[in-house]
Amino acid sequence: MREAEFKAWLVAQGYAPTSIATWLSDGRKVDSAYGLDEHFDRDGGASMLAEMAYSRADEAAGASNPSAIDLSGSFYANLSACRAAARAYFRFRNSEARPQGRFGELDREAVLEAVAACDAVGDVAQYVADLDLGQPTRYWLVLDGKRYPSKAVVRDALARRGSDWLPGGGECKTALERLGFVVIDWPELNRARDAFLRQMPDFSDFRAAAGAYWDVERAYKNGLIEQAKAIIARQDDDRAVGESLYRLLSVGGSGLPLSWRTLSEVQNADPELRDRFYTSLGVLARSDGPLEEAVPAAARELEALREAGIAGLRRGEVLSIPITVWATLHPDQASWFKIAKIDEMGRRLFGRRLFPQTEFRDTDLAEWLQLMRALFGLLDKEFGWHPHDLFDVQGFIWVVGNPDSPANSIRCPSGW
């Protein structure tokens, strides 16, 4: 396992230090038993991941550990964590091949060295001036909620590797993104902030339990989060839990994230397909595995149900339903999801097109979550707004996306 490079990639992705430590630890276990790089080079890790499969049904049946990993405790929980670490490593390997041409002269470790140098100077303006550059305007690298001048960091990193390349701002943005870093269009985020404050003139920060933002965007979501937690705590089977959750999030109020039209289609579907649909949501909601395992599994089941006859499970629904169900129970990890708003966020703030594929891909989900974590950090450390979780990031984006709407009409039945 290329541990140092993998760790640098995880840092670039914006994962918390505890998550990075866990993935490195679990990755070592998998690497010791299988050899991560060998399996990636052989078939992208597919055969290894298949051997490590272990379901709730396997656990209930008392099935033995199917893998070569020496495990104690719950095979289900431990193998789920090991698969998540392996999948993260394989995403790293898919992205780690250096770009062609001069972009190949840059590496993640050099970028992190340059970021550390900027921190050591303690003043961005001085750091930039020391490199004989003008003060940055548009593009900024984002790490752990802090902004760093992207051109200065890239040129400093290149110099540390003996390169004489002097790329411009756009080239620096491209180089950083190809290495897995986030680059924000800072003037555009400032415009978004101003649009938000015009809509929410009494806003101070996300901690306030009163005011327009609380009344329109946050209070009702907190209520739904608590109701969702109560549903999964019932003694009901997974199918009943899944149906209750979908109804909670689609009918009976305004601002709900899921579609009542899809509910109608599911209700009119073949009973076996209907049961599979609700059961998949119940299993997802009660999963104690990581998001990176649970959400893709549910999305692929919805894709299979679409092929089997529930035509209403279009691309947007396949993305929205599992992400939204998970987010309602884990608002610190994800948020409610609407593809049109996600596309808008990607284009406006990051110059990226998100979820471009017609089918669900783990890498698209990971990219979106990385950008949401980056925004969370900026809202917290740069703006001083103290968001509670990713629901506040979603609320910010939704308000900004409706600049001409009065505050009391921002909610939309289709989510953001």
Side-chain angles (χ1 to χ4, degrees):
M1 181 172 74
R2 304 179 190 176
E3 186 165 327
E5 296 171 73
F6 182 37
K7 182 178 180 181
W9 180 82
L10 291 170
V11 170
Q13 296 290 300
Y15 289 112
T18 52
S19 297
I20 292 173
T22 298
W23 273 349
L24 290 174
S25 175
D26 290 335
R28 291 187 203 106
K29 295 177 188 175
V30 181
D31 189 53
S32 177
Y34 287 99
L36 283 165
D37 290 303
E38 177 184 343
H39 276 273
F40 177 82
D41 293 337
R42 180 184 304 166
D43 60 4
S47 60
M48 186 197 78
L49 290 170
E51 184 175 317
M52 292 168 60
Y54 195 89
S55 67
R56 278 290 191 194
D58 293 329
E59 182 179 52
S64 60
N65 175 11
S67 76
I69 307 170
D70 185 17
L71 297 172
S72 59
S74 168
F75 294 150
Y76 175 81
N78 281 309
L79 282 170
S80 181
C82 285
R83 287 194 307 271
R87 290 182 192 279
Y89 188 78
F90 295 150
R91 290 199 305 275
F92 151 68
R93 281 296 312 273
N94 274 316
S95 69
E96 60 86 30
R98 288 191 175 183
Q100 297 294 315
R102 304 219 69 174
F103 288 115
E105 298 174 25
L106 189 68
D107 63 74
R108 294 184 192 90
E109 290 84 353
V111 171
L112 295 178
E113 289 171 17
V115 166
C118 183
D119 285 335
V121 171
D123 180 79
V124 169
Q126 185 60 53
Y127 172 73
V128 173
D130 289 345
L131 295 168
D132 295 323
L133 292 172
Q135 292 305 304
T137 54
R138 185 174 183 184
Y139 295 126
W140 292 75
L141 168 67
V142 181
L143 271 179
D144 193 28
K146 293 177 63 178
R147 286 184 299 135
Y148 296 90
S150 59
K151 183 192 290 187
V153 165
V154 168
R155 290 197 180 181
D156 185 6
L158 287 166
R160 291 169 184 274
R161 294 297 183 262
S163 172
D164 61 357
W165 184 32
L166 299 176
E171 290 174 312
C172 290
K173 176 179 184 292
T174 299
L176 288 167
E177 289 175 342
R178 289 187 179 186
L179 291 174
F181 291 96
V182 172
V183 178
I184 190 83
D185 185 328
W186 184 244
E188 189 62 39
L189 183 59
N190 279 317
R191 284 189 285 270
R193 177 199 59 197
D194 294 343
F196 179 87
L197 293 175
R198 284 194 297 271
Q199 290 291 309
M200 304 290 171
D202 61 350
F203 181 82
S204 55
D205 64 46
F206 290 110
R207 296 174 297 183
Y213 175 79
W214 173 263
D215 293 340
V216 173
E217 278 291 320
R218 188 70 210 206
Y220 84 104
K221 292 175 183 173
N222 285 356
L224 290 170
I225 290 169
E226 293 307 311
Q227 291 180 65
K229 290 178 179 178
I231 287 172
I232 67 168
R234 296 176 188 167
Q235 297 302 310
D236 297 344
D237 61 19
D238 290 337
R239 188 219 176 277
V241 165
E243 181 171 3
S244 295
L245 282 173
Y246 196 95
R247 290 184 178 277
L248 172 72
L249 298 173
S250 63
V251 294
S254 64
L256 298 177
L258 298 182
S259 169
W260 61 266
R261 293 183 179 87
T262 302
L263 175 64
S264 178
E265 283 210 40
V266 170
Q267 288 299 106
N268 292 325
D270 177 86
E272 181 182 350
L273 299 182
R274 183 169 64 242
D275 288 347
R276 281 177 57 188
F277 175 82
Y278 289 131
T279 299
S280 71
L281 300 188
V283 169
L284 169 66
R286 284 176 160 164
S287 172
D288 55 6
L291 176 157
E292 292 83 2
E293 279 269 310
V295 170
R300 292 189 176 98
E301 173 67 355
L302 296 191
E303 288 181 327
L305 288 169
R306 179 182 61 206
E307 296 302 314
I310 306 182
L313 295 176
R314 292 172 286 275
R315 169 175 171 265
E317 297 299 302
V318 166
L319 293 169
S320 175
I321 293 170
I323 292 173
T324 296
V325 168
W326 185 270
T328 305
L329 294 160
H330 307 276
D332 58 323
Q333 298 179 23
S335 74
W336 290 353
F337 184 98
K338 185 173 176 62
I339 189 64
K341 292 296 179 183
I342 295 304
D343 283 342
E344 181 182 3
M345 177 194 82
R347 285 185 287 101
R348 286 186 60 180
L349 300 182
F350 302 99
R352 300 191 192 185
R353 183 186 175 197
L354 302 179
F355 294 92
Q357 312 299 328
T358 57
E359 72 280 356
F360 180 90
R361 291 192 181 181
D362 295 15
T363 51
D364 293 337
L365 174 65
E367 181 184 19
W368 168 64
L369 291 172
Q370 179 192 21
L371 299 185
M372 292 292 282
R373 290 191 297 268
L375 282 176
F376 178 94
L378 291 170
L379 295 180
D380 184 28
K381 295 183 179 180
E382 291 287 341
F383 291 176
W385 286 359
H386 306 289
H388 292 284
D389 48 40
L390 293 185
F391 270 39
D392 283 334
V393 179
Q394 176 253 310
F396 169 77
I397 295 297
W398 174 230
V399 171
V400 169
N402 291 267
D404 299 321
S405 300
N408 63 2
S409 67
I410 286 174
R411 288 194 203 173
C412 172
S414 57
W416 24 306

